[in-house]
């Protein structure tokens, strides 16, 4: 049966982040109670920053949580565009300082060269991932599954057996490393965090059509493997 995304609307950013962070931590804590450890996949970009801050102050067994990114720009961690830098600055602190973080960027010169090592890092996380948090770009991308990218269909291939793939977007800067669609969907729960009217419009446009090549987020919204909850605020 197809998953129908459940839509949650909030009055403001603070309320959204409070509710979503509490829900995430409850699920992680439950996973730890059942399986001894938990995994959390977070996105980069600007939207999750206040959520990271809200998560970081919740007291739970963070030392049993394994965190990675849905995608990474192939830049140094010192670069302002590094998603790892954002996670380190806003999430891996306060109560959440003792988590196991496995970033996607490694020392290889290119993302393509870094694929193998990245795959090895990802294999250290418990799967299915307990929680995956995604965003949407105005072009309909999610993680670094970009419309028009040469390797998009490979990254969407549910039979690839590959966890991560280098990607060169045509609509955004930097080469990337992205989790593939089968890796993202090998999860127990996906949250789509959106903020503002523009993102709401992109989301509605995605629901209104079928072409995954045109808007890769559709591959997450229209599938039968994982529940998807959308958290949105206009603020
Ligand atoms: C990235 C992301 C990406 C992001 C969207 C939305 O590294 O760029 O993981 O998929 O979620 O581009 O980005 P914003 O939150 O900055 O709008």
């Amino acid at each position: 049966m197809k998953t129908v995304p459940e839509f949650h609307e909030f009055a403001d950013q603070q309320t959204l982040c409070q509710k979503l962070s509490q829900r995430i931590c409850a699920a992680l804590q439950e996973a730890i109670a059942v399986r001894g450890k938990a995994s959390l996949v977070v996105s980069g970009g600007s939207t999750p920053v206040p959520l990271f801050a809200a998560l970081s102050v919740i007291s739970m067994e963070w030392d049993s949580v394994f965190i990675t990114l849905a995608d990474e720009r192939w830049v140094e961690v010192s670069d302002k565009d590094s998603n790892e830098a954002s996670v380190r600055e806003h999430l891996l602190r306060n109560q959440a300082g003792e988590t196991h973080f496995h970033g996607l960027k490694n020392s290889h010169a290119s993302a393509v060269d870094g694929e193998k090592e990245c795959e090895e890092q990802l294999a250290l996380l418990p799967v299915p991932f307990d929680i995956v948090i995604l965003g949407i770009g105005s072009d309909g991308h999610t993680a670094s599954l970009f419309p028009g990218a040469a390797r998009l269909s490979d990254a969407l291939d549910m039979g690839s057996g590959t966890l991560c793939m280098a990607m060169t977007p045509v609509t955004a800067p930097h080469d990337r490393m992205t989790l593939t669609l089968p890796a993202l969907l090998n999860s127990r729960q996906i949250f789509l965090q959106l903020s503002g009217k523009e993102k709401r419009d992109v989301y509605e446009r995605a629901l209104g059509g079928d072409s995954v090549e045109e808007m890769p987020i559709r591959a997450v919204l229209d599938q039968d493997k994982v529940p998807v909850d959308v958290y949105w605020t206009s603020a």
Side-chain angles (χ1 to χ4, degrees):
M1 222 177 74
K2 289 278 184 200
T3 292
V4 179
E6 197 170 323
F7 194 86
H8 309 260
E9 181 172 340
F10 296 88
D12 52 52
Q13 191 67 251
Q14 195 187 346
T15 315
L16 184 155
C17 291
Q18 190 188 25
K19 297 288 181 202
L20 183 52
S21 60
Q22 285 168 354
R23 189 165 164 196
I24 289 168
C25 287
L28 295 176
Q29 196 61 67
E30 195 181 318
I32 294 166
V34 176
R35 291 178 290 279
K37 49 193 176 181
S39 49
L40 170 65
V41 179
V42 298
S43 279
S46 57
T47 308
V49 168
L51 176 68
F52 290 166
L55 285 167
S56 79
V57 294
I58 295 181
S59 173
M60 60 163 286
E61 289 175 77
W62 283 108
D63 57 352
S64 298
V65 179
F66 291 71
I67 300 181
T68 192
L69 280 154
D71 70 318
E72 179 61 284
R73 297 99 185 254
W74 210 255
V75 296
E76 296 304 319
V77 179
S78 54
D79 192 293
K80 64 171 179 35
D81 288 342
S82 162
N83 286 339
E84 177 169 338
S86 174
V87 170
R88 290 193 180 280
E89 183 180 349
H90 301 288
L91 174 54
L92 305 185
R93 60 197 296 261
N94 300 320
Q95 303 291 332
E98 302 298 318
T99 57
H100 305 269
F101 178 70
H102 297 277
L104 305 185
K105 171 74 171 68
N106 52 48
S107 58
H108 289 276
S110 70
V112 174
D113 291 344
E115 277 180 350
K116 188 169 171 291
E117 190 176 320
C118 190
E119 192 89 16
E120 287 163 5
Q121 281 296 305
L122 287 168
L124 300 174
L125 274 88
V127 284
F129 299 127
D130 290 293
I131 304 280
V132 174
I133 307 167
L134 295 173
I136 305 186
S138 49
D139 58 357
H141 79 261
T142 194
S144 279
L145 302 172
F146 280 90
R151 299 178 81 199
L152 177 64
S153 55
D154 293 338
L156 294 173
D157 177 2
M158 286 300 289
S160 69
T162 302
L163 298 174
C164 63
M165 207 170 278
M167 194 65 55
T168 302
V170 287
T171 44
H174 308 302
D175 282 352
R176 316 279 179 120
M177 186 70 79
T178 188
L179 264 59
T180 60
L181 183 66
L184 292 169
L185 297 187
N186 188 17
S187 54
R188 297 176 196 276
Q189 172 71 51
I190 293 175
F191 292 112
L192 191 55
Q193 187 193 355
L194 307 177
S195 168
K197 181 163 184 322
E198 191 204 339
K199 293 291 172 89
R200 174 79 185 257
D201 291 346
V202 178
Y203 172 70
E204 299 293 348
R205 193 150 51 84
L207 288 182
D210 292 328
S211 166
V212 171
E213 298 285 327
E214 184 195 2
M215 295 185 82
I217 184 63
R218 287 177 177 146
V220 172
L221 296 175
D222 188 16
Q223 42 82 24
D224 58 5
K225 298 192 175 328
V226 197
V228 177
D229 281 58
V230 183
Y231 277 59
W232 178 75
T233 177
S234 62

